[in-house]
Amino acid sequence: MTPESARPFIDVHAPVAKALAAGRPVVALESTIITHGMPYPDNGAMAANVEKIVADEGAVPATIAVVGGRIKIGLSDGERESLAMTGDAMKLSRADLAFAVAEGRTGGTTVAATMIAAHMAGIRVFATGGIGGVHKGAETSFDISADLDELARTPVIVVSAGAKAILDIEKTLEVLETRGVPVIAHRAEIMPAFWSRQSPFRAPLTLDSADKIAKLFQTRRELGLDGGMLVANPVPQNDEIPAGEMAGYIEAAQKAAQVQNVTGKAVTPFLLSKILELTGGRSLKTNIALVENNARLAAQIAKSL
Ligand code: PSU
Ligand code: MN
């Protein structure tokens, strides 16, 4: 539950406030993908385009970020573009969201922090690229994304292309199951792998429409089951890079991270940018396509709810 005392820290962008008050569909969008996931100016163009896709589907987009210590639920075009140009933005998860607010800082919100803020504002559907999860080698590094715990506790539907393929997808699925998070592949029996339509693993659950996903969320609420849901939506066929091809790039990026001693929050941004370099920009094109695809499905789910 969001306490009343949170309200003074939150700015809800006017079109979002209007839609929420009228009970019209709203889709939250994250901003770590803008500040840490893609280079400028592609990040800003992607963010603008994803908002447009949500709007074209008949829902209102709410890009979430922290700007100068304010929790922003929806950004103006100018605010979004200036966030895309902020080189030193923080990467904010549950652990540092309050720090950014207390200290008046600016940062992109991860899946975890975006879920928290979306829930504070009463938004139930959220589109991203891929969630964080259990990193390869987590048995020694203990690197498991806070996104997984957030999915277990905060009642928001997260529409993704699965867990990023730089992760250990099998262990990520195990943790999600342990924490009681339903993982639903959209129109697929096999779990997608971010840039690729298929991972080596079966999807725990499958549904073939936005309506059915919305109904499952409602049913969970009615049964009194807490927490969120993860929707895994495979990237469109024409945009995918097959898993066999990605494997080599992922391994090379992982080696580079080890050699350069990259740890903690820096790992995911480092791997994404290394893979972009290794694929000559192809991974970025695929990343943009899958986010757009997820935004479309998220808008349909929001409408159905
Ligand atoms: N999806 C993308 N690109 C990204 C992310 C998701 O297509 O950069 C971000 C999300 O914000 C996610 C974060 O929460 O990566 C995971 O970071 P970590 O592994 O440090 O928890
Ligand atoms: Mn981590």
Side-chain angles (χ1 to χ4, degrees):
M1 270 310 289
T2 305
E4 201 54 38
S5 53
R7 260 173 234 299
F9 301 103
I10 303 174
D11 292 335
V12 185
H13 191 44
V16 177
K18 252 190 176 165
L20 288 170
R24 283 189 286 117
V26 175
V27 172
L29 300 163
E30 64 143 312
S31 50
T32 291
I33 190 169
I34 303 175
T35 56
H36 292 76
M38 294 180 188
Y40 181 81
D42 305 85
N43 61 349
M46 176 279 304
N49 209 30
V50 167
E51 287 197 4
K52 185 174 177 304
I53 286 169
V54 170
D56 287 348
E57 284 291 333
V60 174
T63 300
I64 290 177
V66 177
V67 178
R70 306 290 306 164
I71 299 176
K72 298 281 185 186
I73 311 293
L75 299 174
S76 68
D77 292 347
E79 287 170 329
R80 198 189 53 237
E81 197 47 33
S82 101
L83 185 70
M85 290 190 291
T86 305
D88 59 352
M90 292 182 75
K91 176 178 164 185
L92 302 173
S93 191
R94 173 175 278 271
D96 23 42
L97 182 61
F99 175 92
V101 171
E103 293 292 310
R105 303 282 284 271
T106 292
T109 46
T110 61
V111 167
T114 305
M115 288 179 78
I116 295 170
H119 181 54
M120 284 176 174
I123 301 171
R124 291 171 294 174
V125 187
F126 158 30
T128 180
I131 62 156
V134 181
H135 278 265
K136 292 180 179 162
E139 56 274 29
T140 53
S141 70
F142 278 40
D143 190 351
I144 301 177
S145 176
D147 292 352
L148 300 183
D149 266 3
E150 208 57 51
L151 278 160
R153 68 197 286 183
T154 302
V156 170
I157 302 174
V158 178
V159 182
S160 70
K164 282 189 274 292
I166 52 178
L167 301 166
D168 187 322
I169 294 177
E170 192 175 24
K171 289 194 178 72
T172 299
L173 288 171
E174 289 293 348
V175 170
L176 287 166
E177 192 202 13
T178 302
R179 304 280 160 90
V181 179
V183 178
I184 301 111
H186 178 239
R187 295 192 180 148
E189 303 285 336
I190 303 291
M191 195 62 191
F194 198 63
W195 299 283
S196 317
R197 287 179 60 79
Q198 297 200 336
S199 73
F201 311 105
R202 289 193 72 80
L205 303 166
T206 296
L207 287 172
D208 63 10
S209 73
D211 286 343
K212 288 186 178 174
I213 294 167
K215 181 182 168 200
L216 172 57
F217 185 72
Q218 277 313 124
T219 306
R220 276 175 55 81
R221 300 311 301 274
E222 283 159 12
L223 291 175
L225 297 170
D226 290 336
M229 289 179 12
L230 180 64
V231 176
N233 189 29
V235 61
Q237 194 133 31
N238 289 335
D239 298 302
E240 86 157 332
I241 308 177
E245 217 181 314
M246 280 311 299
Y249 301 128
I250 293 169
E251 203 176 310
Q254 233 111 34
K255 285 232 170 77
Q258 255 170 27
V259 169
Q260 294 179 47
N261 237 315
V262 182
T263 56
K265 287 160 130 8
V267 172
T268 296
F270 176 90
L271 293 175
L272 290 176
S273 88
K274 194 78 198 167
I275 288 168
L276 185 159
E277 191 186 304
L278 293 169
T279 59
R282 246 176 102 206
S283 65
L284 177 61
K285 269 191 63 192
T286 298
N287 196 346
I288 292 170
L290 65 84
V291 178
E292 293 178 355
N293 191 46
N294 296 340
R296 213 167 284 123
L297 178 59
Q300 289 160 6
I301 296 168
K303 277 193 294 181
S304 184
L305 280 173

